Amino acid sequence: MKIFSGSSNKPLAQKIAKALKIRLSKLEIHIFPDGEKRVRVIDKVVDEDCVVVQSASTFADINYMELFFIVDGLKRSGAKSVTAVIPYLGYQRQDHVFREGEAVSLEVVIKTLEAAGADKVITFDLHSIKIPEFFKIPLIHLSALELFAEKIKKIDGTDAFLVSPDMGGIRRIKVLSEMLNNMPYATIEKNRDLKSGKIEVSEIHGRVGKVAFVVDDMISTGNTIAAGAKLLKKKGADDIFVFATHPVFSGNASKILQESSVKKVFVTDTIEIPEEKQFPKLEVLSVAEIIAKSLSS
Ligand code: R5P
């Protein structure tokens, strides 16, 4: 097996290679003055099973194009198979037509990836359970919930409960609750204005305990978490811990999270967090071992 890394998350690719006890193979990625990229596979890949690690985080368009070129370069160089490890599958929130006339962007991305020659995709904690239906090639859908369960078990949580910050996350919460001896859970009612993106949290369904573990698939602006935490505090929670797989962290998310009433924010390294977006309440858990295990099975 040969592992290649795109530009979006080299630290994770390196950790995966280390866990598999192989070195990263070489690629040349040249950016022309107008921003176009030229990708060239340096290592020999004839009849090899190849893996490309590329997260489709900000800017998703640029990272996806680079991934398509790497997959194409590998196939043209004789690779037997190409597995695309896309820890964060960008555009996953555009998985259906919300309002008349909209594009289903995620489907376009998947079709292009398949046309470029990808044979398999490995990803993490998808936003909706319907997304796998878009794939014609095999999709391995991994989850960070086991990492979260381990961490939650180590936090002293008398009168603890899980919280889904919106109704859409309830399936995730139920799975985690089972991993934690049926820990009770509550759900926040959240509404988002589709045009402005503004969110409103109104109510909490379920009993509010003292230690809240809020679990989400991703944090983008941080507004969902900040608003949810404010409501949880108002309803009587003392300590609030947040667990989210994908640290998208757009705009002022880091500042919003640091200044919110949450005690700690746990995320994973599906997306590399630049230094300027890190903050004291943040702790990053690695998914590298989970990916390495999946690649070697
Ligand atoms: C939405 O349904 C997702 O599960 C997240 O809750 C959402 O994407 C978070 O967005 P933001 O951080 O911008 O509120």
Side-chain angles (χ1 to χ4, degrees), residues 188 199-201 222-233 256 260:
I188 295 177
I199 59 148
E200 247 177 44
V201 294
N223 289 332
T224 298
I225 294 299
K230 204 168 156 193
L231 186 62
L232 283 163
K233 278 271 176 187
I256 289 171
S260 74

Side-chain angles (χ1 to χ4, degrees), residues 93 127 166 190 192 216-224:
R93 284 169 292 176
H127 182 63
D166 52 41
K190 175 181 99 174
R192 190 186 288 272
D216 211 348
D217 55 341
M218 67 181 84
I219 300 175
S220 181
T221 60
N223 289 332
T224 298

Side-chain angles (χ1 to χ4, degrees), residues 20 54 79 121 123-124 129 175 190 201 207-208 214 218 221 239-240 244 255 267:
L20 289 166
Q54 176 79 322
V121 170
T123 191
F124 267 86
I129 49 166
V175 173
K190 175 181 99 174
V201 294
R207 186 185 158 269
V208 174
V214 181
M218 67 181 84
T221 60
D239 292 331
I240 302 163
K255 191 168 179 277
V267 295

Side-chain angles (χ1 to χ4, degrees), residues 18-19 52 69 77 85 101 143 157 160 163 181 186 204 213 219 221 241 247-249 257-258 269 276 282 288 296:
K18 196 171 168 207
V52 191
F69 298 154
S77 306
V85 176
S143 176
V163 183
N181 287 326
I204 302 181
F213 297 114
I219 300 175
T221 60
F241 298 88
V248 177
F249 291 176
L257 294 167
Q258 180 61 28
D269 54 358
E276 67 275 12
L282 181 71
S296 52

Side-chain angles (χ1 to χ4, degrees), residues 8-207:
S8 68
N9 198 342
K10 269 215 170 121
L12 176 62
Q14 267 148 357
K15 278 187 192 159
I16 298 168
K18 196 171 168 207
L20 289 166
K21 298 189 172 59
I22 53 179
R23 61 164 187 84
L24 277 184
S25 290
K26 285 201 186 95
L27 277 180
E28 186 184 281
I29 300 176
H30 176 78
I31 306 176
F32 290 100
D34 62 358
E36 289 185 359
K37 275 183 188 171
R38 180 185 61 210
V39 168
R40 189 171 154 238
V41 177
I42 305 288
D43 282 13
K44 294 280 166 269
V45 294
V46 176
D47 288 334
E48 293 274 1
D49 289 313
C50 296
V51 175
V52 191
V53 181
Q54 176 79 322
S55 212
S57 48
T58 312
F59 293 96
D61 303 353
I62 293 175
N63 290 327
Y64 270 131
M65 284 306 273
E66 191 182 279
L67 173 64
F68 302 152
F69 298 154
I70 298 171
V71 172
D72 183 70
L74 288 168
K75 276 297 175 82
R76 284 175 197 277
S77 306
K80 186 164 94 189
S81 71
V82 178
T83 297
V85 176
I86 314 174
Y88 172 66
L89 192 75
Y91 281 114
Q92 60 180 287
R93 284 169 292 176
Q94 292 180 43
D95 63 344
H96 64 271
V97 175
F98 291 89
R99 293 173 306 161
E100 199 187 344
E102 286 180 353
V104 182
S105 315
L106 180 66
E107 191 173 17
V108 177
V109 167
I110 294 168
K111 277 185 189 162
T112 313
L113 180 64
E114 289 174 346
D119 297 286
K120 187 164 124 183
V121 170
I122 295 181
T123 191
F124 267 86
D125 289 326
L126 292 168
H127 182 63
S128 106
I129 49 166
K130 286 191 71 192
I131 292 174
E133 290 171 20
F134 285 127
F135 287 85
K136 293 200 173 62
I137 55 175
L139 170 76
I140 311 287
H141 182 191
L142 301 173
S143 176
L145 288 183
E146 56 184 273
L147 288 180
F148 295 166
E150 285 315 308
K151 206 76 205 182
I152 288 172
K153 280 180 200 160
K154 287 183 191 140
I155 298 172
D156 181 20
T158 313
D159 197 11
F161 67 116
L162 299 169
V163 183
S164 173
D166 52 41
M167 298 308 234
I170 205 151
R171 187 193 51 87
R172 197 173 302 122
I173 289 292
K174 282 183 180 168
V175 173
L176 190 56
S177 166
E178 269 178 37
M179 290 176 176
L180 294 163
N181 287 326
N182 297 319
M183 186 179 273
Y185 57 84
T187 312
I188 295 177
E189 204 171 309
K190 175 181 99 174
N191 291 305
R192 190 186 288 272
D193 183 308
L194 286 177
K195 212 167 166 194
S196 66
K198 233 179 140 218
I199 59 148
E200 247 177 44
V201 294
S202 45
E203 239 187 281
I204 302 181
H205 301 277
R207 186 185 158 269

